[in-house]
Amino acid sequence: MMSSNRGDYASASEWISALRQDEAWLSQQQRLQASAPDDADIHKEDALRRIGKGETFEFWEIYRHQVEPVICEVWDIAELSLPKLKIQAIGMLSMEWIEQHTPMGLCDQQQGVVERLKPIFYGSEEEAKAFLESIHGMKATQIIAKVNQLVADKKISDLSKHRDLWSVLNESKIYKRTESNWNQQVK
């Protein structure tokens, strides 16, 4: 059981680490793991209800669904009790889990990435989706190899293979290395 006293934690990062080991989150994670893929929308609605529509949700959107930066932002908001923050954080952790484990076609955030990738794939939504699904979970070097293959196969526009594609992948936290690193390796 986690403490409800902020003084028991050195930082927001320490608190979120404790939450990731807390029974409340672990049981929620088990529910998510045991559910069918078709239940993703139900779990998303439940997670969004927990996050709420206040400042925490605004930070959730600003930080593009990254849990720790949101917690760090709202940690010092005086009117937000730790039990309330715990409920919101479990909602955010649930959304994070759903976004990582839901097939690409079902995830709204991933659909936005597909929309941004379409022009790079000559307007083909199918090619953009297939690319996004194929690179899911890949290391940076594997993503580069896949991109080089698609450029050689004329599936990716020569004009878009550098900055345009790097920007979409980097902003989506798929490829986290620098643009210069990308440009050196993409042929």
Side-chain angles (χ1 to χ4, degrees):
M1 183 82 171
M2 292 180 63
S3 170
S4 294
N5 181 5
R6 286 180 199 274
D8 292 340
Y9 303 97
S11 66
S13 295
E14 183 181 309
W15 183 83
I16 193 71
S17 293
L19 178 61
R20 288 182 189 273
Q21 302 304 314
D22 188 69
E23 183 59 34
W25 164 242
L26 295 175
S27 64
Q28 172 65 8
Q29 189 176 31
Q30 285 178 335
R31 272 194 297 279
L32 292 168
Q33 290 169 339
S35 66
D38 294 344
D39 295 334
D41 287 337
I42 295 166
H43 289 302
K44 281 175 71 174
E45 286 176 24
D46 183 52
L48 289 171
R49 181 185 52 76
R50 287 181 182 169
I51 296 169
K53 292 291 181 188
E55 291 172 318
T56 303
F57 181 80
E58 295 300 322
F59 283 119
W60 176 247
E61 290 295 307
I62 290 168
Y63 284 108
R64 298 180 184 216
H65 301 194
Q66 295 179 59
V67 177
E68 191 153 340
V70 175
I71 300 298
C72 289
E73 285 285 353
V74 298
W75 179 252
D76 292 323
I77 297 174
E79 67 270 6
L80 192 60
S81 69
L82 284 188
K84 173 72 173 171
L85 183 58
K86 183 176 179 177
I87 291 167
Q88 291 178 331
I90 288 173
M92 289 184 280
L93 289 170
S94 297
M95 284 295 290
E96 178 183 73
W97 190 94
I98 292 164
E99 289 169 357
Q100 291 173 356
H101 295 89
T102 301
M104 298 297 179
L106 300 175
C107 184
D108 292 340
Q109 184 179 2
Q110 294 300 341
Q111 187 58 39
V113 176
V114 168
E115 288 300 315
R116 293 183 62 208
L117 286 172
K118 274 175 42 177
I120 296 165
F121 285 86
Y122 299 102
S124 172
E125 184 169 344
E126 295 77 27
E127 291 290 342
K129 274 185 187 177
F131 169 70
L132 204 51
E133 289 173 2
S134 72
I135 65 169
H136 183 71
M138 281 186 175
K139 295 180 180 176
T141 54
Q142 295 169 313
I143 293 172
I144 294 287
K146 181 68 174 178
V147 167
N148 284 332
Q149 173 199 345
L150 292 170
V151 169
D153 294 345
K154 303 288 186 207
K155 303 264 182 178
I156 294 177
S157 162
D158 275 334
L159 297 174
S160 301
K161 68 183 181 186
H162 288 290
R163 171 164 283 195
D164 294 344
L165 183 52
W166 174 83
S167 293
V168 173
L169 298 178
N170 184 264
E171 290 168 12
S172 303
K173 308 293 186 230
I174 296 168
Y175 183 87
K176 298 179 183 176
R177 295 190 179 165
T178 65
E179 184 178 3
S180 63
N181 182 284
W182 177 267
N183 289 335
Q184 289 173 359
Q185 296 180 60
V186 171
K187 309 283 184 240

